[in-house]
Amino acid sequence: ADHNRTYAECILAHTGRSLQHLTLGSPAIDVPTLKHLGTLRVASVFPLEHLYDTLCALAAAPVADLAIECHEDDAEDMCDVLEDFLSQCVERHGEGFFTRLLDVSLCTLSDEPAHAVPACASKIHHTPSAGGAAAAIQRMQDFVRDIRSNQKNATMQASR
């Protein structure tokens, strides 16, 4: 895992100035500012325990679209990490912390081979499943809806 991170960081150091789209399968903590990065996709093989730190490391990039894939059994934990991350985005918005983020997609992959095609859609979405994952996805959808509502209210009050 450390080798993969080192390789990913080395590649980003050499190509980062021109990247517009990036798919990560390994953590990347020590990266240059990716000035043109508009789309960031996190693959399902990405280690969940490094997601928050990696997203924070890429915070200065002008990412508008964030797409995260995870296995269905990781959906609940992924929602917790995303909630922490999105809270940080709201708190640090004025500091250039993911200020252009418009769309967050969470795609879940079934562990069953017949359903290996990801179920994704714009915004936070998940296909129905049993257990805590469905509740976590619903909580995340409500959280994103609250963020948008608060941002609209703040914009309307600022324009008065």
Side-chain angles (χ1 to χ4, degrees):
D2 285 337
H3 286 35
N4 289 342
R5 189 190 88 229
T6 302
Y7 295 141
E9 290 172 351
C10 183
I11 291 168
L12 289 174
H14 286 67
T15 62
R17 290 184 291 281
S18 62
L19 285 177
Q20 295 177 358
H21 306 276
L22 175 63
T23 298
L24 284 176
S26 297
I29 308 300
D30 185 21
V31 296
T33 300
L34 306 176
K35 296 179 182 180
H36 301 288
L37 184 63
T39 302
L40 176 61
R41 181 177 157 262
V42 178
S44 62
V45 296
F46 192 93
L48 179 63
E49 64 272 11
H50 296 288
L51 180 63
Y52 183 84
D53 291 335
T54 297
L55 291 175
C56 288
L58 296 169
V63 174
D65 299 308
L66 173 62
I68 298 177
E69 293 178 352
C70 70
H71 291 277
E72 202 168 329
D73 57 344
D74 292 331
E76 200 169 346
D77 292 333
M78 183 62 74
C79 286
D80 291 339
V81 172
L82 277 174
E83 189 171 332
D84 290 345
F85 168 72
L86 291 171
S87 293
Q88 192 67 235
C89 287
V90 170
E91 289 174 22
R92 297 179 61 186
H93 188 74
E95 301 173 28
F97 194 89
F98 275 90
T99 56
R100 296 187 183 179
L101 187 61
L102 299 173
D103 186 45
V104 177
S105 298
L106 175 62
C107 303
T108 57
L109 302 173
S110 175
D111 291 329
E112 298 175 29
H115 299 95
V117 177
C120 343
S122 183
K123 312 306 178 240
I124 300 293
H125 174 75
H126 175 69
T127 52
S129 66
I137 297 291
Q138 182 61 50
R139 187 183 75 238
M140 181 57 54
Q141 289 173 329
D142 294 342
F143 182 75
V144 170
R145 197 173 8 264
D146 288 346
I147 289 173
R148 287 204 176 110
S149 176
N150 290 339
Q151 286 176 335
K152 285 180 186 177
N153 290 340
T155 302
M156 288 174 48
Q157 289 178 354
S159 66
R160 289 183 187 174

